Amino acid sequence: MSDPTNPGPRRAVSRRAVLLGGAAALGASTLGGTSLASALSSPGAGLGRRIADPFTLGVASGDPLADGVVLWTRLAPEPTAEDGTGGMPDKVVEVQWEVAEDEAFSRIVQSGEQDAAPDLGHSVHVELEGLKPGAEYFYRFRAEGSISPVGRTRTAPAPGTMGELTMCFASCAHFGEGYFTAYRRMAEDEPGLILHLGDYQYEYAAKDSDVRKVLGPETRTLANYRQRHGQYKTDPDLQLAHSVAPWLVVWDDHEIENNWADETPEKPDDGFLDRRKAAMQAYYENMPLRSGSKPNGIDTQLYRRYQWGALANFHMLDTRQYRSDQACGDGVQSGCSDREDPNRSLTGAEQEKWLIDGFNATSARWDVLGQQVFFSKIDLTFGAEKGYNMDAWDGYVANRDRIAGAMAGSKVRNGVVLTGDVHRHWAAEIKRTHDDADSPAVGTEFVTTSVTSGGDGNDDGNEDVLGENPHVKFYANRRGYIRTKFTETQLRADYRVLGQVSKPDAAAETAKSFVVEDGNPTLNPA
């Protein structure tokens, strides 16, 4: 189990067709028997006057347990409506759901109904229980006379099960700065799990340089954030990635606004707490999260822990909601002694204790931190002067060193940090104490580039920064994601890159691969 803290004969359907694009087209045409499709032909099936297709935002699943998973959809026949309603009437709508062992839905194992209410944007979060561990399932919804696309999900393996896991992770997807092809390429890898490490959407209004038109103003209200999420979720590549595997999600800053820190906005703003409240509600409405992550005013319980059998623990961190304000005015700074203040924290004391307690209790082969900002020390200023990013863990040195020390001095067998935020691929070895050049490595860090943010990128190798930071082993300025494979004996990470995102459907290739052997926190080129 995890520690979350706190749905007659029919035409055969190709599994790959469902996974890689056929789900939307096949969802209605291949259904039969006494399932949802038969209800469509029944008198009064439309729950009153039938409206346009409400499933424009697709389907998703997330937060997998050994016996269940969260199923998500949000009803929105007009997904980018400016008023944030998604074109839905101001009433509760009944949504039916089915879960089956096969994509043709000939072996349905569970079904039910759930209300989609206006006060949560007509979103649906079905928390399944009683499923088989380590099993693949298919699911779909019906509402207002329409049937959703088919999604594929899976439960976590039974406790004590080792096995293998292919997991992809991504970060930083700006709709205006490119096409979401990286999400499609992730789906084509058919992973068992996907992690999203933040900046799922961006708050900014449209720019003249944008490749795709961003709708609406800079997001500040609940209607703004719902519209923005609606536009993102209409992207077919993103919908595909959501439909092939369960996701574990955490936010970074742009889900609300750039570089926010707890109750402190980037710039003085008397309305920031109202903005934060609206953004957090819209985030929950649009993500496959459990009810434990439903916002309470301006607060949301987002850090949580999930086990993948005995293979891996995923400690999903929230590095925004509890952090001290960035030191020395934020940005890259030199000579900022405040960053070493032992009272400064990125996680807050309660989350830090929760994480270290998890380290002390673990029996997993791999303990994985899914989080947002660069963990390893990284000098970004060439030459004798040292310059560090105050928004990253370098601005919270004592907090980082306590966690690195706990990684080394606890039951953690293999510590792995997964990171987003910086729109570049990086790979690094984590030191016990980063200010000591001779300090031993205690874990490895894999930093994924952005899905689109920053545009196409280039082939600059950033040799100056690599030379300043010998524990950093790789850098690439292209868009993409990271594909990992966890086994009992090793972790392999493939840095996947796209040649361009300014045009759709670019091919993906592997720019670099590393292998980490069990018990040895060293990055070995594959």
Side-chain angles (χ1 to χ4, degrees):
M1 297 294 290
S2 75
D3 171 17
T5 315
N6 326 28
R10 49 182 60 83
R11 175 169 58 92
V13 182
S14 160
R15 175 177 179 274
R16 187 166 181 84
V18 171
L19 297 185
L20 301 180
L26 296 172
S29 64
T30 62
L31 304 175
T34 58
S35 62
L36 297 182
S38 64
L40 285 176
S41 61
S42 301
L47 297 175
R49 182 179 63 85
R50 179 172 177 174
I51 63 174
D53 176 18
F55 296 110
T56 60
L57 305 182
V59 300
S61 67
D63 284 8
L65 301 173
D67 69 340
V69 69
V70 178
L71 306 183
W72 172 93
T73 194
R74 179 179 160 223
L75 308 183
E78 300 172 22
T80 59
E82 292 183 359
D83 63 2
T85 64
M88 288 295 294
D90 186 18
K91 68 174 185 178
V92 174
V93 175
E94 185 180 87
V95 179
Q96 288 104 27
W97 52 268
E98 288 180 332
V99 178
E101 294 178 327
D102 65 318
E103 58 268 45
F105 285 79
S106 62
R107 300 191 304 276
I108 295 172
V109 296
Q110 289 192 23
S111 62
E113 298 176 351
Q114 189 166 111
D115 288 342
D119 61 347
L120 283 177
H122 288 98
S123 62
V124 177
H125 300 76
V126 180
E127 298 186 28
L128 297 176
E129 298 177 344
L131 299 178
K132 298 176 183 178
E136 178 181 79
Y137 292 96
F138 296 85
Y139 62 95
R140 61 190 178 188
F141 300 89
R142 171 185 171 264
E144 295 287 341
S146 294
I147 295 178
S148 75
V150 174
R152 165 192 179 265
T153 191
R154 68 181 310 108
T155 53
T161 304
M162 191 61 69
E164 299 181 350
L165 171 65
T166 296
M167 182 274 291
C168 295
F169 66 98
S171 178
C172 303
H174 190 299
F175 188 93
E177 293 186 355
Y179 290 87
F180 289 169
T181 310
Y183 286 135
R184 179 166 293 271
R185 301 298 171 243
M186 288 170 56
E188 290 168 348
D189 288 335
E190 298 191 34
L193 183 68
I194 291 174
L195 270 58
H196 200 287
L197 302 181
D199 294 347
Y200 183 93
Q201 61 100 63
Y202 280 71
E203 77 276 27
Y204 302 128
K207 307 187 300 291
D208 291 340
S209 60
D210 283 346
V211 173
R212 299 194 290 177
K213 181 176 177 57
V214 174
L215 300 178
E218 180 166 337
T219 52
R220 298 191 61 85
T221 68
L222 180 57
N224 294 160
Y225 285 107
R226 283 174 171 174
Q227 180 190 35
R228 188 61 53 84
H229 277 283
Q231 182 176 29
Y232 276 57
K233 277 290 204 305
T234 59
D235 184 277
D237 295 335
L238 176 54
Q239 287 194 15
L240 182 62
H242 270 301
S243 71
V244 302
W247 285 41
L248 291 174
V249 301
V250 284
W251 56 40
D252 192 14
D253 52 343
H254 290 289
E255 286 85 358
I256 297 180
E257 72 152 9
N258 183 58
N259 281 21
W260 66 282
D262 194 5
E263 297 186 10
T264 303
E266 180 184 25
K267 300 176 182 178
D269 178 4
D270 290 339
F272 175 69
L273 295 186
D274 289 336
R275 183 180 190 176
R276 171 174 157 167
K277 178 181 178 181
M280 288 183 174
Q281 177 170 337
Y283 186 82
Y284 175 77
E285 291 173 352
N286 285 279
M287 294 294 162
L289 289 164
R290 294 183 176 275
S291 58
S293 293
K294 183 179 178 180
N296 179 16
I298 66 167
D299 299 317
T300 299
Q301 178 65 54
L302 198 61
Y303 68 84
R304 60 209 192 280
R305 182 179 299 116
Y306 282 89
Q307 295 178 353
W308 199 265
L311 184 65
N313 286 339
F314 291 94
H315 312 265
M316 306 301 290
L317 303 187
D318 179 350
T319 63
R320 287 290 163 189
Q321 199 172 175
Y322 314 102
R323 69 158 67 195
S324 309
D325 194 14
Q326 291 89 347
C328 299
D330 206 352
V332 176
Q333 301 290 343
S334 298
C336 177
S337 59
D338 286 352
R339 73 189 190 92
E340 299 178 353
D341 183 342
N343 295 314
R344 289 181 49 74
S345 179
L346 196 67
T347 60
E350 184 177 336
Q351 185 177 192
E352 179 182 325
K353 180 180 184 302
W354 167 86
L355 179 60
I356 294 174
D357 286 349
F359 286 172
N360 289 328
T362 186
S363 59
R365 185 58 49 100
W366 306 90
D367 276 273
V368 184
L369 277 62
Q371 58 97 52
Q372 297 75 36
V373 294
F374 221 125
F375 189 87
S376 302
K377 176 181 177 182
I378 182 164
D379 177 10
L380 296 169
T381 303
F382 179 64
E385 189 175 21
K386 306 295 183 182
Y388 302 103
N389 180 6
M390 296 298 101
D391 189 58
W393 288 87
D394 273 327
Y396 307 81
V397 174
N399 189 194
R400 177 184 60 199
D401 285 353
R402 288 192 297 268
I403 291 172
M407 191 179 291
S410 67
K411 293 182 179 180
V412 171
R413 179 166 175 153
N414 296 289
V416 180
V417 176
L418 308 181
T419 301
D421 182 58
V422 292
H423 308 172
R424 304 290 190 275
H425 276 323
W426 299 83
E429 294 172 354
I430 299 169
K431 298 294 185 177
R432 167 64 181 82
T433 303
H434 281 81
D435 288 333
D436 179 358
D438 296 325
S439 181
V442 299
T444 52
E445 181 173 15
F446 300 96
V447 182
T448 182
T449 188
S450 59
V451 172
T452 60
S453 302
D456 289 336
N458 55 48
D459 293 323
D460 170 36
N462 213 348
E463 286 81 3
D464 289 345
V465 171
L466 291 176
E468 296 284 322
N469 300 276
H471 58 290
V472 178
K473 307 300 181 181
F474 178 64
Y475 166 91
N477 181 23
R478 289 288 182 186
R479 311 290 75 82
Y481 63 98
I482 295 178
R483 179 181 62 208
T484 63
K485 185 173 184 179
F486 291 85
T487 72
E488 185 175 0
T489 59
Q490 68 175 28
L491 162 62
R492 179 187 175 104
D494 299 322
Y495 284 81
R496 303 285 284 165
V497 299
L498 282 68
Q500 62 182 10
V501 294
S502 55
K503 295 181 180 180
D505 206 34
E509 62 181 24
T510 299
K512 187 75 173 181
S513 295
F514 290 96
V515 170
V516 180
E517 302 292 345
D518 173 35
N520 182 8
T522 301
L523 293 171
N524 303 295

